Amino acid sequence: MLKISIKEKSFGKKIILQDVDLHILESGIYGIVGKNGEGKTTLFKCIVGLTNFQGKIVYNNFPLKNNDIAFIPTEVPIYNELTANEFSVFYKELLDLKTTHKIDLFDVPNNKLIKTFSTGMKKKAYMNAVFQKNYNVYIFDEPFNGLDLQSNYLLMNYIRELSKISIVLISSHILEILYKDCDKIFLLKDKNVQAFEKKDFSQIEKKLFS
């Protein structure tokens, strides 16, 4: 069970999130939607621990630890002066992984410097490295941006597999993808969150743009 309780998150005097309560009781795919600037990425950073806020994040009644979470941001933090293979090794050593679950979901030129890669290829190399480890919680912030059609297909299939045993949070501007696969969708609007069950997904766009 994942409990996200954010009493307040602000930057200076500007409040971004307030009285946010998300309770996720089981593994599955959970969507986060909202207009630009509503705080989706800020919410993710609160969960991952990349920014301070008033509140707490709990997983199975214990504080959520960083090594329980895989975070794939929209723009991935990856070292341009390494090759894709070197970055995977670096990621493994950074997390002190004794064993890995390396699947190489995406085909990338492992021995070329990452600085020669396109934006989409960098994202694929980053995810290949992250997927060496199994996590309790996965966070994907606009993961389909910059990826080609086949890569999106591979990624979504893999997300479905992950969701069988893990909690997957995913934001996307492509609502149809979320409607198809999400068990529940959380709408972020006016600093707060409203939850929609699958049977109520048809109401999301009306609420989003009202």
Side-chain angles (χ1 to χ4, degrees):
M1 178 191 295
L2 179 65
K3 291 185 178 181
I4 301 166
S5 299
I6 300 174
K7 183 177 180 181
E8 183 176 295
K9 169 59 188 176
S10 60
F11 292 107
K13 295 182 179 180
K14 184 177 181 180
I15 298 173
I16 307 300
L17 301 171
Q18 190 171 48
D19 296 327
V20 171
D21 284 296
L22 279 70
H23 291 183
I24 298 176
L25 304 180
E26 57 188 5
S27 58
I29 303 175
Y30 299 87
I32 304 290
V33 301
K35 295 180 182 178
N36 288 345
E38 289 285 358
K40 298 187 298 298
T41 298
T42 299
L43 172 63
F44 287 154
K45 287 183 177 180
C46 288
I47 299 171
V48 178
L50 294 177
T51 187
N52 295 323
F53 65 96
Q54 297 178 34
K56 60 182 180 179
I57 313 293
V58 176
Y59 179 79
N60 286 346
N61 299 318
F62 292 95
L64 185 64
K65 299 177 182 179
N66 286 344
N67 60 4
D68 286 331
I69 319 167
F71 181 40
I72 294 86
T74 304
E75 296 182 8
V76 296
I78 193 165
Y79 293 103
N80 287 325
E81 298 303 323
L82 298 178
T83 66
N85 186 61
E86 288 170 340
F87 182 76
S88 286
V89 173
F90 166 78
Y91 190 89
K92 175 185 175 182
E93 294 181 352
L94 181 67
L95 272 62
D96 193 26
L97 300 179
K98 304 305 181 185
T99 60
T100 60
H101 175 67
K102 189 168 175 60
I103 64 166
D104 282 337
L105 181 65
F106 302 106
D107 183 21
V108 299
N110 281 311
N111 294 316
K112 289 188 176 181
L113 290 177
I114 290 170
K115 67 181 180 181
T116 66
F117 290 3
S118 65
T119 299
M121 193 68 73
K122 289 180 180 179
K123 180 173 283 190
K124 288 189 279 188
Y126 182 83
M127 286 192 280
N128 278 349
V130 171
F131 293 154
Q132 292 179 98
K133 181 181 184 300
N134 292 322
Y135 294 87
N136 294 321
V137 179
Y138 290 82
I139 296 178
F140 294 87
D141 191 1
E142 298 289 347
F144 308 111
N145 287 5
L147 296 185
D148 57 84
L149 188 62
Q150 182 180 9
S151 297
N152 282 335
Y153 173 79
L154 291 172
L155 177 58
M156 198 63 231
N157 280 341
Y158 190 61
I159 286 174
R160 293 183 187 112
E161 290 300 312
L162 294 174
S163 71
K164 293 177 180 178
I165 58 173
S166 302
I167 291 172
V168 180
L169 295 172
I170 179 171
S171 72
S172 177
H173 288 119
I174 309 172
L175 296 178
E176 290 76 12
I177 292 178
L178 301 183
Y179 291 165
K180 179 181 178 181
D181 287 289
C182 286
D183 298 284
K184 184 181 290 186
I185 292 177
F186 299 99
L187 171 62
L188 188 55
K189 185 176 181 181
D190 298 329
K191 306 180 183 65
N192 207 286
V193 167
Q194 181 178 350
F196 290 83
E197 303 290 343
K198 187 173 284 287
K199 63 182 177 62
D200 299 320
F201 285 178
S202 60
Q203 302 176 24
I204 292 176
E205 289 178 56
K206 181 179 179 180
K207 184 72 175 180
L208 177 62
F209 299 115
S210 64

